[in-house]
Structure formats: structure tokens, C-alpha cells
Amino acid sequence: MSDHTSDTPHDDDDAPQGRTAYDWIGGDAPVRALVDRFYDLMEFEPAYEALRAVHPPDLQPARDKLHWFLSGWLGGPNLYIERFGHPRLRARHMPYPIGIKERDQWLACMQQAMADTGVDPDLQQRLAQAFFQTADWMRNKGAI
């Protein structure tokens, strides 16, 4: 089975001028800002308490890894693969209990982070669909 890393938005022929999602979002600095907003929300917003609970106390390594992963996933530099090889997302997330609640909080937190950082609404919609497919694949507890 696939780990759904091929369900990426970077091959989007409908993007403005055929750009990658990475280009559309604005490159590295906006990707980093998105990731930082995502983790700030997770850390401080009670609505994301279950999501925060499955993360270690120090979020910096997770911030870096998500930034590196999203860079390549969006069609930019493959920073994660250069450091760690294939993402193997499901296998790497297996130690963490991820159910529907955690999936939905992850998606809501990312949606809020995209809105807060000014990601284009059309891109938000496309990313939300791709994020859902990947986040749903990460579930490993409850009704799988």
C-alpha cells in the first residue's frame, strides 16, 4: 500500500501559470510561517488539545520536520528527503495514537493556520483536500 505521499498538490495544472503549490504559496518563508502558525495554534488553542497531546513536549523538531516535508510535498526543494530519505509517513506516525479526533483537529488547525497566514483561498481549498487524504491515512486507532 502507498503511504499517500503521492497525493500532493504540487502537480496542479490548474495553479496560476502552471506554478507549483510551493511557488503559489510564495516559497520557503511563507511555508515556514504556515508551519510556525500551525504549531503555535496547536500549543496555545484549547480546541487542539487532543492534537497537542500526541506530540512531545518540545515541538521544535516537529516544526522543522513539517517545514522540510511540506517544502517538497508542495513542489519545492525536497528538504525532508535530503535529510531522512523517503517520508514513510504512516510508519513514522504509527507510534502516536491518531484517531478521527486527532485527524480532525490537525485539519482544523492547518486550515486556521492557512487562513491566518494569508494562503490564497483557492490554494487553501486544494491543499485541504490533499491534507485530508494524507491525514486520514495516518489514522491508527479507533475506526480505521
Side-chain angles (χ1 to χ4, degrees):
M1 282 187 129
S2 161
D3 70 358
H4 287 258
T5 55
S6 63
D7 295 333
T8 62
H10 70 269
D11 298 330
D12 196 341
D13 293 333
D14 295 331
Q17 295 92 35
R19 296 180 297 169
T20 65
Y22 181 83
D23 294 333
W24 192 355
I25 206 168
D28 187 67
V31 172
R32 186 67 211 206
L34 173 64
V35 168
D36 286 341
R37 181 64 180 148
F38 173 82
Y39 281 103
D40 289 348
L41 288 166
M42 183 200 314
E43 182 131 41
F44 299 113
E45 290 292 328
Y48 308 122
E49 184 177 354
L51 177 61
R52 179 63 181 95
V54 298
H55 284 78
D58 180 5
L59 290 175
Q60 190 58 50
R63 284 177 189 261
D64 291 339
K65 287 178 181 176
L66 183 58
H67 169 234
W68 298 330
F69 173 77
L70 285 181
S71 175
W73 188 76
L74 293 168
N78 283 313
L79 303 175
Y80 186 94
I81 291 171
E82 290 170 5
R83 288 168 173 80
F84 304 106
H86 190 283
R88 297 181 8 245
L89 289 180
R90 192 149 201 271
R92 292 184 197 268
H93 286 81
M94 200 55 73
Y96 308 102
I98 301 169
I100 291 171
K101 182 181 210 174
E102 292 81 10
R103 176 203 65 193
D104 290 351
Q105 285 188 15
W106 194 99
L107 292 167
C109 189
M110 182 55 75
Q111 188 65 45
Q112 184 177 348
M114 287 192 293
D116 289 354
T117 57
V119 174
D120 180 281
D122 289 337
L123 181 57
Q124 284 185 45
Q125 184 178 11
R126 291 177 184 164
L127 291 177
Q129 292 170 353
F131 282 141
F132 177 84
Q133 292 175 325
T134 302
D136 195 54
W137 180 244
M138 296 298 110
R139 288 190 302 122
N140 58 27
K141 77 172 193 177
I144 299 177

